Amino acid sequence: QVQLVESGGGLVQAGGSLRLSCAASGRTFSSYAMGWFRQTHGKEGETVGAITWSGDTTDYAASVKGRFTISRDNAKNTVYLQMSSLKPEDMAVYYCVADRNFRVGPPYEYWGQGTQVTVSS
C-alpha cells in the first residue's frame, strides 16, 4: 500500500514558478515509478511528467516539455515537479500518481488527493 500526499500548489502569476512535492508512505516507494497527472474541469486530463523508480528515465507531455522537471529523492520518499514559465493553461488540479510500471498515462495504482495550481494572467 502506498499513500501519496501532495503539497506546494497555490496561486502564481503567469511566467512564475512553483514546486510541487509528493510525500509517499510505505517502505517500497523506491520500487514504484511516479508521475504527475493534471485535470482541469471539462478537459481531458494528462500526465505531465513521469519518472522511473531509479530516476534515470523521465517523460513529459509536449505541453510542458522544457518548462517542467520531475525528480525524486528515494531517501526521502518524495517526488517533485518543478514548474517554470507557468501559463494560464497550466491551471489544474495536480495529482501525484504511482505505479509499479513506468506509465505515461492512466491507469495508475495509486493516486494522491491532488493539489490546486492556479495561474493568473
Side-chain angles (χ1 to χ4, degrees):
Q1 187 80 8
V2 176
Q3 291 186 323
L4 306 172
V5 179
E6 304 96 336
S7 61
L11 174 64
V12 62
Q13 286 190 328
S17 299
L18 275 178
R19 189 176 80 157
L20 305 183
S21 298
C22 172
S25 65
R27 293 174 293 177
T28 58
F29 171 76
S30 60
S31 300
Y32 285 81
M34 303 295 294
W36 289 92
F37 182 91
R38 69 182 180 187
Q39 180 71 61
T40 302
H41 182 69
K43 293 176 61 177
E44 186 172 350
E46 65 175 340
T47 297
V48 295
I51 188 167
T52 54
W53 68 269
S54 64
D56 61 351
T57 300
T58 57
D59 190 80
Y60 297 94
S63 58
V64 306
K65 195 168 292 185
R67 300 188 297 121
F68 289 13
T69 302
I70 188 170
S71 61
R72 67 189 295 162
D73 185 338
N74 287 342
K76 296 182 178 180
N77 281 14
T78 303
V79 63
Y80 306 97
L81 185 68
Q82 178 67 49
M83 305 184 293
S84 303
S85 302
L86 282 161
K87 305 175 181 179
E89 51 264 43
D90 294 319
M91 184 162 58
V93 177
Y94 284 72
Y95 297 90
C96 179
V97 293
D99 199 282
R100 287 181 179 87
N101 300 303
F102 179 69
R103 298 182 185 276
V104 294
Y108 296 106
E109 292 180 66
Y110 300 102
W111 294 72
Q113 292 188 322
T115 186
Q116 176 71 48
V117 172
T118 302
V119 184
S120 63
S121 56

